[in-house]
Amino acid sequence: MIKDLNIKVWIALIAMCTFLSCKKNYVAPVPDTTWQIFNTSTAKKLVTNTRNKLEGIYTITEGSEVFGVNAALSWSYTITEADTLYHLSMFCEKQVVYMICEGKRLDSSILLNGYWRNMLNTETGIVRFNITSNSGAKELLDSTTSPLQGLTLSGSFGIGEAEPTNPVSLQYQRPLYKGSPLEIIAHRGGGRTADLLPASENSAEIIKLASRFGATGIEIDVRLTSDGVPVLYHDGTLNERLIQKNGLIGPIENYSYRQLTDLVRLIKGEKIPTLRQALDVVLYQTNLKFVWLDTKYDGNMTLQREILEEYQQKAIARGRDLSINIGIPDEMVLKNFKKLNDFRSIPSICELSPQDVTETNAAIWAPRWTLGLQPEETARMQTAGRKVFVWTLDVPENINKYFNEGNFNGILSNYPSSVAYFYYAKQ
């Protein structure tokens, strides 16, 4: 009997080792985009006029099997201590594919250098473009001319770290749609850790990337430490989905901010940021216009309110168009929100019933997408001077449907690049 038991134990151990050795480690690292001519001292930054003329809707004439038929090109920026970095994002029609490039002028040509990614799998690679004088660079660099229909972005893309050898070409068609405004809200600060992005969800680093993914605003998850510090973290507990293995378990609320700072690192190695640190990034390093504070704790919300008001005043002082709103996702938070002095004056987003929206005087009603388009209730809210956001839309077909058939003022998504494509490509 003991011998049989030992054999079974050995078989189980062998099976476990076999499973672990065969288990796939899904990663999608940003490839090394070093390009010698792009980094030479003679390659100069693009001026504002040239950047603006590069924006638009393009037809993908080569590479459509990977990127789809069309792409929307739009610039964003991130401010660092020493510089302002501009990125040209190409939001592609196919699935959830995007390209993110930096741009420089080299003599009479324009170089675009970056990477591409398919968010529905791990496909990624280097992408490079060389716009020659004959293919449109002359008009782009000339401050007195507009881009011509003949503007062509010709380049190549690779798979993984391989040198780009596959042809890709984009033909300019028309300007970006910029009619009825739409807030494109990136979930969890810019995207989920599970989607293998270059930074962890709800980190300061992912917030810096959000506008490159197409977002005009972000949703971030606010929790309180044991000593009352508001921090960003989505799940109810410390777990290996979001943090590097360290032996710590249990709710964020069980740990002080010092303990979290000293002992915990998010999946990509970042520290869990405070709410103030996150808003500093939004205000001083990005062009994001909207912040949704998704309240994830049961407790006093006074400090969260004070921080909101502090950063709204800082935004006004800097001349920034920035709206920060406290999220009310459930009855528990609603109860605590209504305990705040003069709560009806606080900018808020209510996900609950229209009656709760009215009672809290929420600036925004945010129903779940599974409740449908709700045209009549949406119209009533907007007639009353409120906005209506819908969440969380990820499937491209659903994004397209809700954008074109609904009348929403904002869409929350894990894939803001897909929302951005449908918005900018509207005719």
Side-chain angles (χ1 to χ4, degrees):
M1 175 72 87
I2 294 176
K3 182 178 180 182
D4 291 342
L5 181 60
N6 287 337
I7 291 173
K8 290 179 180 178
V9 170
W10 276 107
I11 291 173
L13 288 172
I14 292 170
M16 182 178 295
C17 290
T18 301
F19 169 76
L20 292 175
S21 64
C22 296
K23 187 177 179 181
K24 293 183 178 179
N25 183 24
Y26 291 102
V27 293
V30 175
D32 181 358
T33 59
T34 302
W35 188 12
Q36 187 174 355
I37 64 170
F38 191 81
N39 296 326
T40 59
S41 59
T42 53
K44 305 299 183 182
K45 291 183 178 181
L46 299 178
V47 299
T48 302
N49 183 62
T50 299
R51 290 197 306 270
N52 290 343
K53 287 193 286 188
L54 268 167
E55 291 190 330
I57 302 301
Y58 290 70
T59 296
I60 301 174
T61 55
E62 288 185 285
S64 59
E65 69 282 358
V66 174
F67 304 110
V69 177
N70 297 301
L73 276 59
S74 177
W75 288 93
S76 64
Y77 67 82
T78 306
I79 300 173
T80 66
E81 290 183 2
D83 201 1
T84 300
L85 302 177
Y86 292 91
H87 290 86
L88 181 62
S89 297
M90 307 183 189
F91 309 117
C92 301
E93 171 265 342
K94 186 173 183 179
Q95 296 180 335
V96 188
V97 182
Y98 59 76
M99 297 179 249
I100 300 176
C101 295
E102 293 182 60
K104 290 184 179 180
R105 171 182 182 169
L106 183 63
D107 298 325
S108 59
S109 296
I110 294 174
L111 306 179
L112 301 175
N113 180 41
Y115 74 100
W116 67 274
R117 170 76 199 280
N118 186 332
M119 287 286 288
L120 299 186
N121 51 46
T122 60
E123 293 176 354
T124 187
I126 301 167
V127 63
R128 295 170 183 163
F129 294 90
N130 187 349
I131 311 171
T132 65
S133 179
N134 292 335
S135 62
K138 180 179 179 181
E139 288 76 16
L140 289 169
L141 295 171
D142 187 338
S143 61
T144 64
T145 61
S146 300
L148 304 176
Q149 290 300 111
L151 174 59
T152 301
L153 313 187
S154 296
S156 57
F157 70 96
I159 307 298
E161 295 287 347
E163 282 293 301
T165 57
N166 305 291
V168 56
S169 294
L170 286 73
Q171 182 82 36
Y172 179 87
Q173 295 298 323
R174 65 182 189 276
L176 298 175
Y177 170 79
K178 292 186 179 178
S180 300
L182 179 77
E183 292 293 355
I184 303 171
I185 311 298
H187 201 201
R188 304 185 191 183
R192 298 173 298 192
T193 293
D195 284 318
L196 311 176
L197 293 167
S200 305
E201 65 182 60
N202 278 307
S203 66
E205 286 71 17
I206 198 71
I207 294 172
K208 298 173 190 176
L209 301 176
S211 58
R212 299 179 206 176
F213 300 149
T216 62
I218 56 171
E219 177 261 11
I220 49 181
D221 302 293
V222 182
R223 293 187 179 275
L224 289 182
T225 63
S226 62
D227 50 345
V229 178
V231 296
L232 270 55
Y233 194 82
H234 179 272
D235 292 3
T237 61
L238 296 175
N239 60 72
E240 291 182 36
R241 186 187 80 80
L242 294 181
I243 67 169
Q244 296 177 358
K245 188 174 182 179
N246 61 10
L248 298 182
I249 59 174
I252 285 278
E253 291 81 0
N254 289 354
Y255 298 91
S256 69
Y257 174 65
R258 179 65 180 271
Q259 288 174 315
L260 294 176
T261 299
D262 290 347
L263 303 174
V264 177
R265 292 295 179 269
L266 298 173
I267 287 294
K268 295 290 185 178
E270 312 96 334
K271 294 181 181 181
I272 293 176
T274 66
L275 176 56
R276 278 195 170 91
Q277 289 169 341
L279 293 177
D280 275 341
V281 172
V282 172
L283 181 58
Y284 300 117
Q285 295 188 257
T286 77
N287 60 339
L288 295 168
K289 300 186 298 179
F290 190 91
V291 181
W292 178 340
L293 306 178
D294 192 4
T295 311
K296 294 288 188 182
Y297 63 90
D298 181 6
N300 191 305
M301 299 174 67
T302 300
L303 182 55
Q304 187 179 354
R305 180 216 186 129
E306 291 174 352
I307 292 173
L308 179 154
E309 293 174 345
E310 173 189 341
Y311 278 84
Q312 288 283 202
Q313 290 303 312
K314 288 180 177 180
I316 292 171
R318 289 182 65 86
R320 280 288 307 275
D321 177 18
L322 177 64
S323 175
I324 307 172
N325 294 258
I326 290 179
I328 306 173
D330 54 41
E331 296 293 338
M332 173 192 72
V333 176
L334 176 64
K335 176 190 68 176
N336 293 325
F337 182 81
K338 289 164 70 174
K339 291 179 181 178
L340 295 170
N341 182 47
D342 194 20
F343 65 85
R344 288 176 57 83
S345 69
I346 303 171
S348 64
I349 302 176
C350 185
E351 300 176 25
L352 306 178
S353 70
Q355 180 179 346
D356 291 321
V357 173
T358 301
E359 187 174 349
T360 57
N361 194 33
I364 299 164
W365 179 43
R368 183 192 295 266
W369 77 273
T370 51
L371 296 175
L373 297 173
Q374 304 187 82
E376 294 180 0
E377 196 57 65
T378 295
R380 279 195 289 270
M381 287 286 176
Q382 292 167 338
T383 299
R386 310 185 198 281
K387 294 181 179 180
V388 182
F389 291 2
V390 62
W391 63 276
T392 301
L393 281 170
D394 290 338
V395 178
E397 290 78 6
N398 290 338
I399 294 172
N400 190 28
K401 175 183 175 67
Y402 274 67
F403 175 65
N404 285 301
E405 298 181 22
N407 190 30
F408 297 100
N409 306 106
I411 294 176
L412 172 66
S413 178
N414 289 299
Y415 303 138
S417 58
S418 187
V419 181
Y421 170 76
F422 287 113
Y423 174 68
Y424 291 126
K426 182 175 181 177
Q427 297 192 64

